[in-house]
Amino acid sequence: MASALDNLLKATELRKKVFFTLAMFIVFRAGTQIPVPGVNAAMIERLFTSGNLFGLLDLFSGGALSKFSIFAMSITPYINASIITQLLTVVIPTLEEWSKEGAEGAKKINKINRYAAVGLGAIQAIGMAYGLRAAVNNPDFFSFAMIVITLTAGSLLLMWIGEQITAKGIGNGISLIIFAGIISRLPNGLAVIGRYLQAGTINVFNVLIFAVLAVLMVMFVVAITVAYRKVPVQYAKRIVGRKMYGGHTTYIPLKVNQAGVMPIIFASSVLMFPVTIAQFIKIPWIQKVAGYLAWGTPLQTSLYILLILFFTYFYTAVSLNIPDMSDNIKKYGGFIPGLRPGKPTTDYLDKVMNRITLAGAVFLAFIAIMPNMIVWLTGISGVYFGGTALLIVVGVALDTMKQVESMTLMRHYQGFMK
């Protein structure tokens, strides 16, 4: 990693990409400090703690939500639009055709994502303005309209910044914005631990346990994120004219965590919906349900694990088309040793994928409940570590480092001679 970064900074073109990315991060962090006009930000900040959905959303936005800044919605509308489009690809033939057209199809789908992000952003902004109406200084139509327009425009500006990072910087811009938001909360977490030590709430031993668990969790997440099952594929020899093609063996890498972080996001959204509604609608039965589903209760934890297992299988089935994979192997003259092309190959791949998906689902469930376990083992609350945030940080960091290494290899061919 150190060698790749050193080579990256030596190349003028790549150095410009790094500085451009850092400049966009500065713009992002500056925007999180600009409050939405007409809102009492201090009143809103009292709603946010790291143990509920608001705290998790605030973590992803880099503290912008608790300050109710112009970037309070972060990049969430665009991400939701992308997820919805990806799910609709399975049921809408036109979207499925576009997804197979390569770069041109990706442009069409991305255009739909942008328009959908505007609509979802406006809806989310209206919901936030209404739900937090008690903090609006002058609750009239023009004040609410200003809040909705400001929040929507801020989210779209972040979407544009992310696209500029992807085009002119390093890594995936949308992912890096979320990454920067999460990392920016690290100093705040360390400050909380420092205050706990000064107050005598915890001792050095608690902090040591927390540090050891944090390191072990990062190592575990990295190992599972890059883990995959190799399925060997043999290609038959073909003679075309005077040349012979094929006759080699390769493999299909089936990722253990094919679904990524999406199952945790889906499960969290489902479970936190009644809790969020209960904060704004004072209906007795909704309040009662919200009490049972409060963060960290036995019922909430059990349902959380079951939903993660379900959504892991669901999202893996949506994102990975086993029959198409089997057809492509057959189309190019390949076969899995010991199996005939066609249905036997499809059944085998489906069986292997189901097994490793179970391991991935258990891994996601374990990571998701680790923040609760860390609080129980160390007594340190108010510091969110693990779950969705850790998966995103590790995944984005690994993907970005792969891109950095590929860029440096393209410009430093002397490495192949050593």
Side-chain angles (χ1 to χ4, degrees):
M1 182 185 296
S3 176
L5 290 175
D6 182 57
N7 292 330
L8 187 69
L9 294 175
K10 287 180 180 178
T12 303
E13 180 185 352
L14 297 182
R15 188 165 60 246
K16 289 181 179 178
K17 288 180 176 289
V18 172
F19 290 151
F20 180 83
T21 303
L22 294 176
M24 291 296 100
F25 283 167
I26 293 174
V27 173
F28 166 56
R29 292 307 303 159
T32 60
Q33 307 301 319
I34 302 174
V36 173
V39 172
N40 186 348
M43 184 181 297
I44 293 175
E45 197 163 2
R46 299 191 197 104
L47 295 172
F48 295 88
T49 59
S50 61
N52 55 28
L53 181 62
F54 283 144
L56 185 59
L57 295 175
D58 188 45
L59 179 70
F60 292 162
S61 66
L65 185 56
S66 61
K67 297 180 178 67
F68 212 64
S69 73
I70 60 174
F71 291 158
M73 295 197 305
S74 187
I75 204 74
T76 305
Y78 181 78
I79 294 175
N80 291 338
S82 301
I83 294 171
I84 293 171
T85 305
Q86 186 176 4
L87 295 176
L88 290 178
T89 301
V90 183
V91 296
I92 299 179
T94 302
L95 292 177
E96 187 176 3
E97 291 176 6
W98 289 353
S99 66
K100 297 178 181 179
E101 291 180 2
E104 289 300 321
K107 288 181 181 178
K108 296 177 182 177
I109 293 177
N110 193 36
K111 189 175 182 179
I112 291 177
N113 289 339
R114 291 174 182 172
Y115 286 123
V118 176
L120 291 175
I123 294 172
Q124 184 175 341
I126 292 172
M128 290 178 64
Y130 177 78
L132 300 172
R133 60 189 182 279
V136 179
N137 295 328
N138 298 309
D140 54 18
F141 173 80
F142 293 103
S143 296
F144 281 109
M146 177 62 72
I147 293 171
V148 171
I149 292 173
T150 303
L151 290 175
T152 306
S155 181
L156 296 180
L157 176 59
L158 270 186
M159 180 183 71
W160 179 82
I161 291 174
E163 292 179 348
Q164 293 303 304
I165 292 175
T166 302
K168 301 178 183 179
I170 292 178
N172 183 285
I174 303 299
S175 300
L176 285 173
I177 286 175
I178 301 175
F179 174 87
I182 295 173
I183 292 297
S184 67
R185 304 298 290 170
L186 181 60
N188 182 65
L190 295 177
V192 170
I193 294 176
R195 288 196 295 268
Y196 284 166
L197 281 173
Q198 290 181 352
T201 307
I202 59 174
N203 53 41
V204 178
F205 183 69
N206 296 119
V207 177
L208 183 62
I209 294 177
F210 181 87
V212 171
L213 289 175
V215 172
L216 292 177
M217 282 185 64
V218 172
M219 293 172 61
F220 181 53
V221 171
V222 170
I224 298 298
T225 301
V226 301
Y228 55 86
R229 164 75 182 275
K230 294 182 179 180
V231 177
V233 178
Q234 178 71 43
Y235 288 92
K237 295 180 180 180
R238 295 182 294 119
I239 298 178
V240 180
R242 294 183 178 182
K243 294 183 178 181
M244 184 176 67
Y245 298 90
H248 65 278
T249 301
T250 183
Y251 63 87
I252 301 173
L254 298 178
K255 294 185 67 175
V256 174
N257 184 22
Q258 178 67 34
V261 74
M262 298 312 302
I264 296 180
I265 295 177
F266 287 157
S268 300
S269 301
V270 171
L271 286 178
M272 290 307 299
F273 180 75
V275 179
T276 305
I277 294 298
Q279 295 190 24
F280 306 117
I281 302 177
K282 306 300 182 181
I283 298 177
W285 70 269
I286 293 181
Q287 297 287 324
K288 189 174 182 180
V289 171
Y292 288 127
L293 295 179
W295 196 264
T297 60
L299 178 60
Q300 186 271 342
T301 303
S302 301
L303 290 176
Y304 196 28
I305 293 173
L306 292 176
L307 285 173
I308 289 174
L309 296 177
F310 168 75
F311 281 121
T312 301
Y313 276 95
F314 172 77
Y315 197 79
T316 299
V318 170
S319 62
L320 187 66
N321 195 321
I322 296 295
D324 280 357
M325 185 185 298
S326 177
D327 290 342
N328 289 333
I329 294 173
K330 183 180 179 180
K331 184 187 301 182
Y332 293 104
F335 62 92
I336 296 176
L339 295 173
R340 294 176 61 85
K343 191 175 184 304
T345 299
T346 302
D347 293 341
Y348 175 77
L349 290 175
D350 193 51
K351 179 181 178 181
V352 171
M353 200 64 223
N354 283 334
R355 288 181 175 178
I356 64 175
T357 299
L358 177 61
V362 172
F363 156 74
L364 288 176
F366 174 75
I367 291 298
I369 64 174
M370 270 306 293
N372 295 339
M373 296 177 62
I374 287 178
V375 173
W376 178 69
L377 291 172
T378 64
I380 300 177
S381 60
V383 180
Y384 187 89
F385 186 86
T388 312
L390 182 59
L391 287 170
I392 291 175
V393 168
V394 171
V396 173
L398 290 174
D399 290 341
T400 304
M401 283 310 304
K402 287 179 182 178
Q403 290 193 30
V404 169
E405 290 174 356
S406 64
M407 288 179 179
T408 53
L409 281 175
M410 290 174 62
R411 291 162 174 80
H412 295 274
Y413 295 105
Q414 65 269 24
F416 292 102
M417 304 299 294
K418 295 180 180 179

